[in-house]
Amino acid sequence: MSKLIATAALAVVLIAGAAADAEAWTRSGTWSGPRGTASVSATGSCAGGTCSRQITRTGPYGGSVTRQGSASCSGGTCTGTRTTTGPYGGTVTRQRTISRY
């Protein structure tokens, strides 16, 4: 039940924050369960046709996963890059380009 309440509270924070400022945003939340407390923290911004964000999730045992990404669109083509770093330092980078015909 506490997980459901924490999720609902996080959704309210996300919606309220989105209405406050469309160019830059910050979100965070924590929740507790039988294995401990976990958290998420996210920031993002858009400027000059490029949007970026960073999300860090920390599990109940202290391990963190960070995801950084950006996307930009021009002339019907959007390009995005995302890098994920795991709790042991390993990284995965993904890139994608989408074109509209």
Side-chain angles (χ1 to χ4, degrees):
M1 182 68 173
S2 64
K3 192 177 204 180
L4 178 61
I5 293 170
T7 303
L10 180 59
V12 169
V13 169
L14 292 174
I15 291 168
D21 189 355
E23 297 296 319
W25 52 269
T26 301
R27 311 287 185 271
S28 63
T30 59
W31 59 96
S32 296
R35 296 183 179 154
T37 301
S39 65
V40 63
S41 173
T43 60
S45 63
C46 291
T50 300
C51 294
S52 63
R53 70 176 183 173
Q54 178 174 328
I55 301 171
T56 301
R57 293 180 176 96
T58 303
Y61 302 115
S64 294
V65 174
T66 301
R67 179 175 287 169
Q68 297 176 331
S70 64
S72 61
C73 296
S74 177
T77 300
C78 296
T79 303
T81 301
R82 177 177 78 189
T83 300
T84 303
T85 304
Y88 303 109
T91 61
V92 174
T93 299
R94 295 182 178 176
Q95 296 178 328
R96 173 173 262 182
T97 300
I98 300 172
S99 296
R100 187 171 50 166
Y101 295 102

